[in-house]
Amino acid sequence: MDEYITIALPKGKLFDKSVRLLAKVGYSAENVTEDSRKLVISNEETKVRFIIAKTVDVPTYVEYGAADIGIIGKDVLLEQDKDVVELLDLGFGRCRLMMAVPETKRRAKLTDYAHLRVATKYPNCAKAYFNKLGIQTEIVKLNGSIELGPIVGLSEMIVDIVETGRTLKENKLAEVDSIFTATARLIANRASFKLKFARLHKLVEDLRIVLNEEEK
């Protein structure tokens, strides 16, 4: 299977755009759909395999070489800190990691939020952010609706990903600070990038051309 390029695709909001973008540069296969019962789909003619995985698992597949490359949000990369090569900013799936509090609990300065509990799906990113500010907090890891934390008294603040901010407003939360902006990234396994450099380099350059044309 060394001649194949194996690509890990993330289920969710990045999936459809990832499939369409790769197809434009000749990386496609029949029935590559998010709800496919086949979790590994191959194109023998072009020597491409697709792995359809949960978003949080994509960097792991790539790091350990089960996939040569993958597409994943920068937010997941920063949170997991996997040993992979970041090849290209694909530009889509734009969102931001931010800190928010209930609208009635806003304070004058960021340092006024010290010694509070923070609900988040991104404990590592949140910890790094508050450490940089010199603010001591208690991080509470959640997997579901982060906005629920302040509503039920689990936390006083949240750190979460937002796109439009509509959910914050609906739950009477106010964004206090933007931590970073994230977009979809093409990543590669370090060994694969060396062993299959010519093909992967061409893929990156072909993707650059497509992305530049879409920006015009």
Side-chain angles (χ1 to χ4, degrees):
M1 301 298 293
D2 288 345
E3 61 186 320
Y4 275 76
I5 294 294
T6 302
I7 306 171
L9 295 174
K11 292 182 177 181
K13 64 181 181 179
L14 299 182
F15 184 86
D16 289 340
K17 179 68 174 179
S18 298
V19 171
R20 290 196 297 269
L21 181 61
L22 288 168
K24 288 182 179 180
V25 293
Y27 282 68
S28 62
E30 290 187 9
N31 300 317
V32 180
T33 60
E34 192 172 354
D35 59 356
S36 173
R37 293 189 177 184
K38 292 182 65 177
L39 299 180
V40 179
I41 303 169
S42 300
N43 184 332
E44 295 184 8
E45 182 178 347
T46 58
K47 302 300 182 184
V48 176
R49 292 198 309 169
F50 293 95
I51 296 174
I52 302 173
K54 284 188 175 182
T55 301
V56 294
D57 292 335
V58 168
T60 301
Y61 281 108
V62 175
E63 180 182 41
Y64 285 92
D68 297 303
I69 59 176
I71 293 176
I72 193 64
K74 181 67 173 182
D75 54 311
V76 179
L77 283 182
L78 290 173
E79 175 63 24
Q80 296 189 6
D81 194 27
K82 296 291 188 180
D83 184 21
V84 296
V85 182
E86 187 176 322
L87 299 179
L88 186 62
D89 182 350
L90 300 174
F92 62 88
R94 184 173 297 275
C95 56
R96 66 184 184 279
L97 188 73
M98 56 85 232
M99 189 263 277
V101 300
E103 293 174 349
T104 59
K105 301 292 185 180
R106 295 199 69 159
R107 302 184 180 185
K109 305 187 298 294
L110 283 175
T111 51
D112 291 338
Y113 295 102
H115 307 293
L116 300 179
R117 288 194 302 272
V118 184
T120 184
K121 295 177 184 176
Y122 299 85
N124 293 325
C125 289
K127 183 178 180 180
Y129 165 71
F130 288 113
N131 284 346
K132 184 177 180 180
L133 293 175
I135 298 175
Q136 185 175 356
T137 58
E138 180 182 350
I139 306 294
V140 181
K141 173 71 163 65
L142 291 179
N143 296 304
S145 299
I146 304 303
E147 297 83 7
L148 188 59
I151 293 174
V152 300
L154 176 64
S155 68
E156 289 82 20
M157 306 183 286
I158 68 169
V159 167
D160 200 17
I161 285 289
V162 296
E163 294 180 47
T164 64
R166 186 177 64 183
T167 303
L168 290 180
K169 293 179 181 179
E170 290 176 350
N171 290 282
K172 300 187 184 310
L173 294 170
E175 182 174 341
V176 174
D177 195 21
S178 179
I179 301 173
F180 61 72
T181 298
T183 51
R185 307 299 169 102
L186 181 70
I187 61 173
N189 172 269
R190 290 194 177 278
S192 296
F193 186 59
K194 293 178 180 179
L195 295 172
K196 304 178 182 181
F197 177 81
R199 190 172 177 187
L200 292 181
H201 178 70
K202 183 178 186 305
L203 170 61
V204 170
E205 293 307 306
D206 289 347
L207 286 171
R208 287 189 198 277
I209 292 172
V210 170
L211 292 172
N212 288 335
E213 289 176 349
E214 289 182 351
E215 288 181 358
K216 294 179 181 179

